[in-house]
Amino acid sequence: MEKALVTGGAGFIGSHVVDALIDKGLEVVVVDDLSSGSINNVNGQEIDLYNEDITNSDLWRIFRKHKPDYVFHLAAQINVRESIKDPIEDARTNILGSLNVLKCSAEFGVKKFVFSSTGGAIYGEASKLPTSERQKADPESPYGISKQTTEKHLWFYKKNKGLDSVALRYGNVYGPRQNSKGEAGVISIFANNILCGKDSRINGDGEQTRDYVYVKDVADANLLAMELSGVYNVGTGIETSVNEVFRKIIDLSENNAFSSHEPAIKGEVKRSCLDSRKLVGKGWKTQYNLDRGLKETIDYFRSE
Ligand code: NAD
C-alpha cells in the first residue's frame, strides 16, 4: 500500500486531502501542530496523527518510521495580515518549516512533493486577469513572498537532490471545516455570522474580487498532482466580489443580516482571478460552481 504524509492534515484543506487519499486507498500519516487545525477534522479516519511542529528536527524520525511515497505539504501560517505584522514568524513556519519538510522528503526518496502555494497572493496586483502561471510572481505580502520562496526551493531540490514536485497555486478556497473565526475565509465567516443573525464587517468597499474554489475540487487537484510536475493554478477563472458573496449567502440561507464597511487592508490585492487551463488540460474539472459549493458550506455551518 502506498503511503502519503500530509502536513497540516488536521486543517481545513488538509483534512479534505486526507479524506480523498484514504478514498483512493493510500495509507495516511498526518503531521500537524493543531495550532489552527483540529482533531475533529480527521476524526474517524484511520491515520497516524503526529502533533508536531514542522520546524522541529524530530520530523526526521517520522519520515524514517513511515517512509512516505508522497508528501502533501499544507501546514502553514495562512494569515496575510499576521504575515504583515510579523514577517519573521511567517518565515519561520512558511520558509524554514517548508525547508525542513523538503529536506526530509529528499532524504527519504519521496516520489512526489505536492506543495500548497497561493494564486491569490503570489501574483500581486496582476496586470492580466484571469492570471496564468506565465505571469511573473510579484507578491506584495510576506505570506506571498514565503510561498514564492518555497516554490524556488522546490526547484532547487529538484535540480540538486532529484526531488520531484508540484506547486498548486490556489484561489480562495472555501467549504466545510473552514475556520470561521478570525480573518480566515470570508465565506465561512459570513455564513457563520448570517446563520447566527450577526452582522458582518467587510474590508474596504467590498468590490474587491476573488476566485472562489470549492475545497473538494482542490482536494481533487491534489490527487491529480501526484502524476504532475511544475506549477499549476487551481481556480475557477470567475471573479466574484465580496459584496456579491455576502448577498449570495443571504439569499441561499434565507436569513437576513447586515454588513458594515471597514478600512481596506494594506497588502491585499484589489482583484484576483486565476487561469487554470493548464491544470484543466491535465484532466482537472471543477465539480462545484459557487452556488452549489455555497449551499454545501451553508448546510455544514447550519449542522454545526
Ligand atoms: P488551515 O489553517 O486550516 O491549515 C493549516 C494547518 O497547518 C492547520 O491544521 C495548522 O494546525 C497546521 N500548522 C500550522 N503551523 C504549523 C506548524 N508549524 N507545524 C505543523 N502544523 C502546522 O488553513 P488552510 O486554509 O487549510 O490552508 C492549507 C494550505 O493551503 C496552507 O499552506 C495555505 O497557505 C494554503 N492556501 C490556502 C488558501 C485558502 O483559501 N484557504 C489559499 C491559498 C493557499
Side-chain angles (χ1 to χ4, degrees):
M1 198 191 244
E2 289 192 305
K3 282 189 196 172
L5 185 145
V6 184
T7 72
F12 160 51
I13 305 172
S15 64
H16 287 274
V17 172
V18 167
D19 291 348
L21 288 167
I22 288 174
D23 280 354
K24 196 179 158 74
L26 276 87
E27 199 176 313
V28 176
V29 179
V30 166
V31 178
D32 196 305
D33 69 355
L34 303 178
S35 51
S36 61
S38 161
I39 285 185
N40 294 336
N41 289 338
V42 283
N43 250 352
Q45 293 290 26
E46 292 238 336
I47 56 161
D48 283 309
L49 171 65
Y50 291 88
N51 182 348
E52 192 77 63
D53 189 320
I54 52 162
T55 60
N56 197 325
S57 54
D58 272 356
L59 189 68
W60 188 84
R61 286 182 223 290
I62 302 172
F63 272 79
R64 188 180 57 181
K65 181 166 178 209
H66 293 281
K67 300 195 179 62
D69 300 289
Y70 298 92
V71 167
F72 295 82
H73 177 40
L74 295 101
Q77 185 300 111
I78 65 157
N79 190 317
V80 173
R81 274 168 245 170
E82 284 302 320
S83 82
I84 294 167
K85 269 194 237 154
D86 192 349
I88 294 178
E89 184 51 33
D90 178 86
R92 191 189 75 82
T93 304
N94 292 0
I95 300 180
L96 296 180
S98 295
L99 272 173
N100 198 25
V101 184
L102 271 168
K103 181 170 171 270
C104 294
S105 300
E107 206 165 321
F108 287 93
V110 163
K111 287 184 200 159
K112 189 80 67 181
F113 185 98
V114 182
F115 174 54
S116 284
S117 188
T118 169
I122 210 161
Y123 297 111
E125 204 65 69
S127 55
K128 199 165 172 230
L129 293 166
T131 309
S132 85
E133 300 84 351
R134 287 188 303 278
Q135 179 99 14
K136 195 171 161 283
D138 190 16
E140 292 182 9
S141 63
Y143 169 80
I145 293 168
S146 297
K147 291 288 184 184
Q148 184 193 17
T149 305
T150 300
E151 285 194 9
K152 290 192 171 187
H153 283 301
L154 295 185
W155 178 83
F156 168 82
Y157 268 85
K158 182 164 187 165
K159 204 165 166 231
N160 292 280
K161 317 268 181 189
L163 176 64
D164 198 6
S165 60
V166 192
L168 299 176
R169 295 177 173 172
Y170 306 150
N172 272 55
V173 189
Y174 71 99
R177 302 183 199 148
Q178 188 163 31
N179 195 331
S180 60
K181 313 275 178 321
E183 69 128 17
V186 74
I187 288 180
S188 61
I189 295 170
F190 287 166
N192 202 45
N193 285 347
I194 290 168
L195 291 172
C196 297
K198 276 194 339 206
D199 294 348
S200 295
R201 288 178 310 179
I202 294 179
N203 298 317
D205 62 7
E207 287 306 306
Q208 62 272 35
T209 62
R210 296 291 180 263
D211 185 333
Y212 294 97
V213 56
Y214 193 62
V215 67
K216 287 185 185 165
D217 288 326
V218 172
D220 285 350
N222 273 268
L223 260 60
L224 181 61
M226 293 163 77
E227 313 295 330
L228 306 176
S229 299
V231 175
Y232 292 86
N233 284 341
V234 183
T236 63
I238 297 169
E239 270 183 277
T240 310
S241 75
V242 174
N243 288 333
E244 201 179 333
V245 162
F246 186 76
R247 280 194 298 271
K248 268 184 184 290
I249 300 174
I250 291 206
D251 289 349
L252 291 167
S253 65
E254 297 176 357
N255 277 45
N256 206 358
F258 296 98
S259 60
S260 60
H261 291 269
E262 302 273 311
I265 305 279
K266 280 200 184 119
E268 282 188 351
V269 296
K270 182 79 183 158
R271 291 176 68 195
S272 172
C273 181
L274 301 175
D275 176 345
S276 304
R277 281 179 295 179
K278 189 176 166 195
L279 190 60
V280 170
K282 297 288 181 188
W284 183 64
K285 192 171 182 302
T286 51
Q287 308 289 334
Y288 289 80
N289 62 20
L290 187 55
D291 279 12
R292 180 170 176 221
L294 283 179
K295 272 188 210 136
E296 279 205 10
T297 308
I298 292 166
D299 286 348
Y300 168 80
F301 281 106
R302 200 171 259 136
S303 73
E304 287 289 287

